[in-house]
C-alpha cells in the first residue's frame, strides 16, 4: 500500500484565503441561462422566472462571485441590448456559439438573481468588437448613481441604486484566434491600458483584470503575459489564467495528475508578473484571477456539439453538457487544492461554468435539477476552507505519468481559521489501483478532534449522476480517520478526494 506523510503547522502559511476564490461563471452559452437559471414555465420558477431549485443548489454550492456575461460571448455582445423593456430588446446572432441570443435575461435580471444567491457580480466588457467608449458607457450605466444620461436611463429601467460593480474583466481570451477581435499581445495591451486608465478616471477603486493566456499551451504563453503586463502593469490589479483538463486516449494516470500542470501554470505566470514588476521598479504586486477552470471534454464539443450552418442559429441549444464521473470530480477537487496552495497570489477564481454548461449543477426543462459529481468537492471546500491556506510538508510515494512525468500519488493542502480554531485538510489519492495510508502530523495544532471526514470515491471511477439516477454518487463518511499521539492516520481509497475537518 502506498503511503504519505504531511505536517500541518498554522505557522506554515501560504496566504489569506480570499472568498472570491470560490467564484463561478455564467455565460450566455447553451442552456446555462435559458433553461438553466431561468425558466419561467418551471414549477419552481419565482415571479421573475428564475428556478428556485437552482437558486437553492447555487446557495448550497457556496459561490462567492460570478463572472458574467462571458466568455467568448462577450466579444460580440452589445450591452445595450440587455437593458430596458424585454419586449423591445433585439434578438442577435451570437457568433461565438452559433446561437440566437434573445436578451430576455440581461444586466438587471442577472443582478436580481445574484441577490437571490448571495453572490457578487464580476462584469466583463467587450474589447473584441468594441472598445474604451463602450466600456465607459457600461460603467456609467452600472455604477453612477444618477444625474447623467446613462445613469438616469438605468433608473428609468427600474434600478434606482447603482449596481456598484467592483471587479471588471477587460475582455476575454484575446490571445485566441477563435475570439472575435483577436489581437496581438502588443495591440491588446494598448487597448487594455487605455480602457483601464479611462475606467479609473471614473472610479480609481475599481479592480481590473487584464487577459492572460487562455491556456498554458498556447504558442504565445509567457511572452503574451510579459508584453500585456508591460503595457498595463500600473493600470490593473489582476491577470487572468484559463485552464481546462480532460482525460485523453484512456490515459487516466496523466489525467489524475492535471493539477501538476495547473501548479506550473500559476507559478509561471507569477514569475512573469514579478519579472515585469522588477523591470518597472514597482512596489505593486499583480495577482491572478483564475477566472476559467474546470474539467471540460473539449474534443467532444468539436466532434458532437458544434453548430454550423448560415441558417441554423438555435436558441439555448444543448452545448457542452458534460456529465462528470468520479474520476472527473477527483481531478476537479485536486484543482481546488492547487488554487488553495497558491492562495497568496490566486485571489480570485471562477469555476466555468455554473449550470448545465460544463457545470456542477444540471437541469432538465420542466424537470429536475441535480448535483453533478463535481458539485461535492466545490461545496465542501467552499464551506471548510476558511482563514489562511497552509503549506503542508508533504512526503509521498510517486508514479510516472506519460504527460507530466513523475507525480506524487497524494496531493494535499490545509487551511486554518484562527478565529474559530478549526483546521481543514484536503487530500487526493491519484493511485488507480490501491488505497493509500496518510499520516498527518498535527502536533502543532494542540489537542484537536476529527469533527468530520468525508471521501468521494466509487468502485467504478466512471460512475456519474444522471437524470435517470441523480444520486448515484455522493460523499461518504470516512471512518478510517483516527487521531493518535499528535497525528491522524487516514486511508484514502484509490482515485479519491477527501476533506477532513478538525477542531
Amino acid at each position: 500500500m502506498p503511503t504519505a506523510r504531511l505536517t500541518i503547522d498554522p505557522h506554515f502559511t501560504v496566504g489569506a484565503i480570499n472568498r472570491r476564490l470560490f467564484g463561478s461563471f455564467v455565460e450566455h452559452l447553451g442552456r446555462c441561462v435559458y433553461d438553466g437559471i431561468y425558466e419561467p414555465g418551471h414549477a419552481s420558477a419565482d415571479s421573475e422566472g428564475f428556478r428556485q431549485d437552482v437558486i437553492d443548489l447555487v446557495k448550497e454550492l457556496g459561490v462567492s462571485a460570478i463572472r458574467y456575461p462571458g466568455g467568448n460571448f462577450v466579444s460580440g455582445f452589445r450591452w445595450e441590448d440587455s437593458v430596458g423593456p424585454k419586449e423591445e430588446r433585439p434578438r442577435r446572432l451570437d457568433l461565438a456559439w452559433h446561437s440566437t441570443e434573445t436578451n430576455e435575461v440581461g444586466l438587471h435580471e442577472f443582478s436580481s438573481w445574484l441577490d437571490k444567491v448571495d453572490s457578487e457580480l464580476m462584469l466583463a466588457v467587450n474589447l473584441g468588437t468594441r472598445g474604451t467608449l463602450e466600456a465607459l458607457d457600461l460603467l456609467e450605466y452600472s455604477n453612477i448613481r444618477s444625474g447623467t444620461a446613462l445613469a438616469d436611463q438605468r433608473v428609468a429601467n427600474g434600478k434606482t441604486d447603482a449596481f456598484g460593480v467592483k471587479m471588471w474583466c477587460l475582455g476575454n481570451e484575446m490571445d485566441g484566434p477563435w475570439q472575435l477581435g483577436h489581437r496581438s499581445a502588443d495591440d491588446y495591451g494598448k487597448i487594455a491600458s487605455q480602457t483601464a486608465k479611462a475606467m479609473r478616471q471614473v472610479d480609481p477603486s475599481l479592480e481590473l483584470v487584464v487577459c492572460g493566456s487562455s491556456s498554458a499551451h498556447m504558442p504565445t504563453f509567457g511572452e503574451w503575459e510579459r508584453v500585456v503586463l508591460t503595457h498595463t502593469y500600473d493600470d490593473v490589479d489582476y491577470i487572468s489564467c484559463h485552464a481546462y483538463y480532460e482525460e485523453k486516449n484512456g490515459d487516466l494516470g496523466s489525467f489524475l495528475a492535471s493539477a501538476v500542470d495547473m501548479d506550473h501554470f500559476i507559478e509561471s505566470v507569477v514569475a512573469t508578473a514579478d519579472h515585469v514588476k522588477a523591470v518597472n521598479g514597482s512596489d505593486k504586486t499583480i495577482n491572478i484571477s483564475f477566472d476559467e477552470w474546470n474539467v471540460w471534454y473539449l474534443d467532444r464539443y468539436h466532434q458532437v456539439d458544434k453548430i454550423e450552418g448560415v441558417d441554423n442559429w438555435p436558441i439555448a441549444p444543448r452545448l457542452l453538457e458534460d456529465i462528470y464521473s468520479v474520476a472527473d470530480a477527483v481531478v476537479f477537487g485536486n484543482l481546488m487544492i492547487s488554487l488553495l496552495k497558491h492562495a497568496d497570489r490566486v485571489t480570485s477564481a471562477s469555476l466555468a461554468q455554473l449550470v448545465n454548461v460544463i457545470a456542477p449543477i444540471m437541469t432538465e426543462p420542466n424537470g429536475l435539477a441535480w448535483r453533478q459529481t463535481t458539485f461535492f468537492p466545490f461545496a465542501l471546500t467552499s464551506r471548510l476552507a476558511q482563514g489562511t491556506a497552509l503549506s503542508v510538508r508533504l512526503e509521498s510515494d510517486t508514479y510516472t505519468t506519460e504527460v507530466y512525468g513523475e507525480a506524487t500519488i497524494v496531493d494535499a493542502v490545509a487551511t486554518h481559521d484562527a478565529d474559530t480554531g478549526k483546521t481543514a485538510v484536503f487530500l487526493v489519492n491519484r493511485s488507480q489501483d490501491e488505497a493509500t495510508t496518510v499520516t498527518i502530523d498535527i502536533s502543532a495544532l494542540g489537542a484537536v478532534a476529527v469533527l468530520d471526514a468525508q471521501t468521494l470515491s466509487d468502485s467504478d471511477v466512471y460512475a456519474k449522476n444522471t437524470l435517470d439516477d441523480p444520486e448515484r454518487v455522493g460523499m461518504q463518511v470516512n471512518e478510517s480517520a483516527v487521531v493518535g499521539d499528535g497525528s491522524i492516520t487516514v486511508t484514502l481509497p484509490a482515485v479519491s478526494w477527501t476533506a477532513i475537518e478538525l477542531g
Side-chain angles (χ1 to χ4, degrees):
M1 179 184 289
T3 60
R5 294 184 58 86
L6 56 103
T7 301
I8 296 176
D9 188 320
H11 297 98
F12 298 164
T13 61
V14 174
I17 299 167
N18 191 313
R19 293 308 301 170
R20 283 182 180 156
L21 202 64
F22 306 105
S24 191
F25 177 29
V26 167
E27 181 174 2
H28 284 251
L29 192 179
R31 295 193 310 120
C32 186
V33 175
Y34 308 112
D35 285 349
I37 68 173
Y38 178 80
E39 188 183 344
H42 193 270
S44 76
D46 65 16
S47 61
E48 294 183 274
F50 293 115
R51 287 182 59 153
Q52 186 62 48
D53 55 353
V54 173
I55 290 170
D56 292 342
L57 286 174
V58 172
K59 293 176 74 172
E60 180 185 339
L61 193 63
V63 173
S64 58
I66 299 180
R67 182 171 174 248
Y68 177 84
N72 294 345
F73 172 81
V74 80
S75 289
F77 181 52
R78 286 174 265 196
W79 70 266
E80 304 93 333
D81 292 346
S82 75
V83 300
K86 285 189 180 184
E87 63 274 12
E88 297 178 11
R89 296 179 192 175
R91 293 188 173 204
R92 299 287 190 189
L93 298 182
D94 168 25
L95 275 62
W97 302 107
H98 207 88
S99 305
T100 296
E101 173 54 48
T102 66
N103 285 303
E104 292 172 75
V105 173
L107 181 58
H108 288 254
E109 292 81 13
F110 191 70
S111 176
S112 176
W113 182 79
L114 287 173
D115 290 340
K116 300 172 194 284
V117 300
D118 301 324
S119 194
E120 176 190 0
L121 176 60
M122 177 179 174
L123 202 56
V125 300
N126 178 357
L127 289 186
T129 56
R130 309 189 91 181
T132 302
L133 180 60
E134 291 84 0
L136 286 173
D137 286 348
L138 179 55
L139 175 59
E140 180 184 323
Y141 184 92
S142 300
N143 283 15
I144 298 301
R145 187 172 302 149
S146 63
T148 69
L150 289 171
D152 290 345
Q153 182 184 340
R154 184 199 69 247
V155 173
N157 286 336
K159 179 69 171 171
T160 303
D161 296 329
F163 291 109
V165 182
K166 295 303 294 182
M167 196 164 183
W168 296 76
C169 302
L170 302 173
N172 176 75
E173 293 187 353
M174 298 308 298
D175 64 323
W178 57 84
Q179 198 74 205
L180 286 172
H182 162 63
R183 292 175 169 85
S184 68
D186 191 55
D187 288 342
Y188 169 68
K190 290 175 182 176
I191 191 172
S193 175
Q194 291 167 2
T195 304
K197 284 182 170 68
M199 293 177 75
R200 290 205 189 280
Q201 285 185 255
V202 177
D203 183 355
S205 72
L206 297 179
E207 297 175 60
L208 304 180
V209 185
V210 73
C211 290
S213 294
S214 51
S215 163
H217 307 290
M218 293 293 289
T220 54
F221 173 60
E223 182 65 2
W224 174 275
E225 280 75 8
R226 185 192 68 79
V227 172
V228 167
L229 285 175
T230 296
H231 284 289
T232 63
Y233 199 91
D234 293 334
D235 306 317
V236 301
D237 306 283
Y238 295 88
I239 187 164
S240 71
C241 291
H242 291 180
Y244 296 100
Y245 299 94
E246 63 181 303
E247 181 181 343
K248 294 187 176 182
N249 304 316
D251 185 2
L252 180 58
S254 293
F255 179 50
L256 289 168
S258 295
V260 171
D261 182 75
M262 180 182 265
D263 289 339
H264 182 261
F265 189 3
I266 293 169
E267 290 155 14
S268 297
V269 173
V270 166
T272 304
D274 288 350
H275 164 75
V276 179
K277 176 181 180 178
V279 170
N280 287 4
S282 175
D283 58 1
K284 172 184 176 180
T285 297
I286 295 290
N287 286 328
I288 290 175
S289 175
F290 215 122
D291 51 39
E292 288 190 31
W293 69 271
N294 204 346
V295 173
W296 177 14
Y297 286 86
L298 184 57
D299 287 348
R300 191 183 72 83
Y301 164 70
H302 288 294
Q303 295 165 11
V304 178
D305 285 352
K306 194 170 184 180
I307 301 168
E308 297 176 315
V310 70
D311 294 319
N312 183 26
W313 300 86
I315 297 171
R318 289 182 182 263
L319 291 176
L320 282 58
E321 298 194 10
D322 288 352
I323 304 300
Y324 291 121
S325 68
V326 169
D328 294 328
V330 170
V331 170
F332 180 102
N334 200 171
L335 298 178
M336 296 201 78
I337 289 172
S338 180
L339 294 173
L340 285 169
K341 287 197 299 185
H342 299 89
D344 57 330
R345 299 299 291 270
V346 182
T347 54
S348 177
S350 305
L351 163 64
Q353 293 187 11
L354 188 56
V355 183
N356 286 330
V357 174
I358 53 172
I361 299 168
M362 295 297 295
T363 72
E364 188 65 16
N366 298 310
L368 295 176
W370 69 96
R371 303 166 187 83
Q372 290 240 56
T373 58
T374 54
F375 183 99
F376 303 106
F378 191 103
L380 262 179
T381 305
S382 177
R383 178 168 64 85
L384 297 180
Q386 303 285 339
T388 302
L390 303 181
S391 175
V392 299
R393 306 301 169 91
L394 175 66
E395 301 171 31
S396 170
D397 293 338
T398 62
Y399 73 110
T400 302
T401 71
E402 183 176 333
V403 177
Y404 305 117
E406 203 78 3
T408 58
I409 289 176
V410 170
D411 196 13
V413 73
T415 64
H416 180 72
D417 188 345
D419 293 334
T420 64
K422 290 184 176 180
T423 300
V425 190
F426 305 95
L427 309 106
V428 63
N429 180 10
R430 296 167 174 161
S431 173
Q432 299 177 55
D433 307 309
E434 296 183 89
T436 299
T437 297
V438 181
T439 302
I440 307 172
D441 183 343
I442 57 170
S443 56
L445 296 175
V448 296
V450 175
L451 302 179
D452 192 22
Q454 296 190 53
T455 292
L456 181 70
S457 67
D458 198 277
S459 57
D460 177 5
V461 298
Y462 296 107
K464 303 174 180 180
N465 289 345
T466 64
L467 177 61
D468 294 331
D469 194 359
E471 297 183 2
R472 167 67 178 82
V473 177
M475 299 300 301
Q476 302 166 357
V477 175
N478 188 325
E479 297 179 348
S480 73
V482 178
V483 177
D485 184 16
S487 67
I488 296 172
T489 58
V490 61
T491 299
L492 310 179
V495 189
S496 67
W497 178 89
T498 297
I500 303 172
E501 184 182 16
L502 307 172

